[in-house]
Amino acid sequence: MSSASSSVRRIAATALAAGAIVSAAALPAAAHDGDRHHQRPRVEISRVQADSPGREDRSNRSLNSEWVEITNTTRNPISLRGWTLRDSDGNRYRFDNIRIGGRNTIRIHTGNGRDTRTDLFQDRRDYVWDNRSDTATLRDDRGRTVDTETWGRRR
């Protein structure tokens, strides 16, 4: 009986040791997968034109020359419904029923215009983005920051 119980103990110890080795090997791989997911956002602020070219005269043409581009880096379309784009002063643009196609880019202009699949308009009569320094923040429909783009000196 003591020979059987020592065999059972050896088998149990071997099984526990093997389980510990497998767990130790799997843990770094799982942690790495999580890191890879957070290296690059699925939707990102890809370009900002804060200083509209030419004279800033608050004309619609000048206002629409100020814009932010948002790019979907995945192959699949993503709904931006309820997402927001903000500047440092709290000016906010809320996306309505907008879908951005896979590997596509949309441009959000400051002035007035007719929304298309590639261009959206905030319908504002004043500039949003500070030419010298500002931060554009893109948040999802749950208020989580998806991406930010900062230029110039921080305030």
Side-chain angles (χ1 to χ4, degrees), residues 43-48 67-73 78-81 83 85 93 95-109 115-121 138:
V43 178
E44 65 185 18
I45 298 170
S46 49
R47 288 180 58 197
V48 176
W67 45 259
V68 174
E69 284 185 348
I70 308 290
T71 300
N72 175 356
T73 63
I78 295 176
S79 172
L80 299 180
R81 181 184 203 113
W83 288 40
L85 180 64
Y93 173 75
F95 293 88
D96 287 326
N97 194 20
I98 303 297
R99 289 182 72 80
I100 182 170
R103 296 200 171 111
N104 281 334
T105 298
I106 56 174
R107 187 176 280 186
I108 299 90
H109 301 270
D115 291 346
T116 67
R117 289 194 306 165
T118 58
D119 293 277
L120 302 174
F121 298 86
L138 180 65

Side-chain angles (χ1 to χ4, degrees), residues 88 132-137 148-155:
S88 295
R132 285 181 236 137
S133 68
D134 209 339
T135 299
T137 303
T148 60
E149 183 70 30
T150 299
W151 57 95
R153 288 184 291 195
R154 291 203 154 169
R155 294 179 186 186

Side-chain angles (χ1 to χ4, degrees), residues 11-26:
I11 291 170
T14 302
L16 286 172
I21 290 169
V22 168
S23 295

Side-chain angles (χ1 to χ4, degrees), residues 1 10 75 83 147 153:
M1 210 170 180
R10 271 186 277 160
R75 285 188 249 167
W83 288 40
D147 197 19
R153 288 184 291 195

Side-chain angles (χ1 to χ4, degrees), residues 9-38:
R9 277 187 240 153
R10 271 186 277 160
I11 291 170
T14 302
L16 286 172
I21 290 169
V22 168
S23 295
L27 183 59
H32 177 70
D33 287 347
D35 290 345
R36 181 183 50 127
H37 177 71
H38 293 289

